[in-house]
Amino acid sequence: MKVAVLASGRGSNLQALIDEWQEGSLPVEFAGVGSDNINAQALVRAEKAGIPVRAFLRENYSDKEAQEKDILNWFEELGAELLVLAGYMRVLSPSFIRQADYPIVNIHPSLLPSFPGLHAQKQALEYGVRVSGCTVHFVDEGMDTGPIILQQAVPVFDEDNVDTLSERILKVEHEIYPEAIRLLALGKVKRQGRKVTIYRHS
Ligand code: GRF
C-alpha cells in the first residue's frame, strides 16, 4: 500500500511509523511526506529515511484551494492509496476530501468524541476527566468526527499538567497509529458508515 503523509511539526508519530517500517513490521511503501511548514522536523525525519518530501507553504499560494490542489496533484503522481495525517495543522477542506480517492486517517490526542479540535489534552484536564487517551479515525468533513478505527485509554492523575498528560498519551499514539496503519495495509479494516470493523484474525 502506497502511503502519503502530511505533517506540520515534530513528526514523532511519523517516526514511529518509519521505525516499524524499517523493522519490517509495517507492510507499506512511504510514497512521500508533505508539509505546510518548511521547518517541520517531520521533513528531516522523512529525508533521513529516504522518503521523498515536498513543502507546500501557505505563503506560496493565493489561497488554501490552490495549496490543496498542488498537494492532491502530488499525491496522484505518487499513486497514493492512503493518506496519513501526522500532526498536520491545517484542516483539509471538504473539496480536498471529496477529491481524494483514497482513505484519509488521523490521530487525535483524546478519546473522541470528547475534546475534538486544538489543545485536546488541556481540554481534558480542564474538564476533569479521569481517563483520556488517543483515537485513530478516518477523516470526514467535520472536525475530528470521522469513523473511529482504534482508541487507547490512559489514566489522568491529580498531579498531571498538559506536558505530563501529553507525554503519556503520545506514548500510546506511537503504538496505536502503526497498528492501525498495519491493519489498513493488510485489508483488515472495513468501514460501513460510521461503523468500523476490524478483522484481526482472518
Ligand atoms: C499528536 O499529539 C497528534 O495526536 C496530533 O498532533 C500531534 C502530532 O505530534 N494530531 P507529532 O508531530 O507526531 O510528534
Side-chain angles (χ1 to χ4, degrees), residues 75-125:
F75 289 166
E76 197 181 320
E77 269 169 42
L78 295 172
E81 293 167 294
L82 174 70
L83 170 55
V84 171
L85 303 183
Y88 187 60
M89 296 309 289
R90 204 165 196 200
V91 176
L92 295 172
S93 71
S95 139
F96 183 105
I97 292 161
R98 278 194 297 272
Q99 285 178 71
D101 55 2
Y102 34 80
I104 305 172
V105 293
N106 182 43
I107 187 155
H108 182 77
S110 76
L111 294 176
L112 290 171
S114 293
F115 316 125
L118 289 176
H119 311 303
Q121 302 92 334
K122 185 164 178 273
Q123 292 185 55
L125 285 172

Side-chain angles (χ1 to χ4, degrees), residues 114-174:
S114 293
F115 316 125
L118 289 176
H119 311 303
Q121 302 92 334
K122 185 164 178 273
Q123 292 185 55
L125 285 172
E126 283 174 358
Y127 197 93
V129 291
R130 292 295 187 187
V131 175
S132 191
C134 55
T135 303
V136 180
H137 63 95
F138 287 110
V139 172
D140 66 7
E141 293 179 19
M143 170 69 87
D144 302 320
T145 53
I148 290 169
I149 304 170
L150 290 181
Q151 292 187 299
Q152 177 74 49
V154 303
V156 181
F157 300 121
D158 290 342
E159 56 276 20
D160 268 334
N161 55 41
V162 171
D163 289 342
T164 57
L165 179 59
S166 300
E167 196 186 319
R168 192 172 311 119
I169 293 173
L170 195 63
K171 208 160 163 251
V172 292
E173 290 184 37
H174 297 164

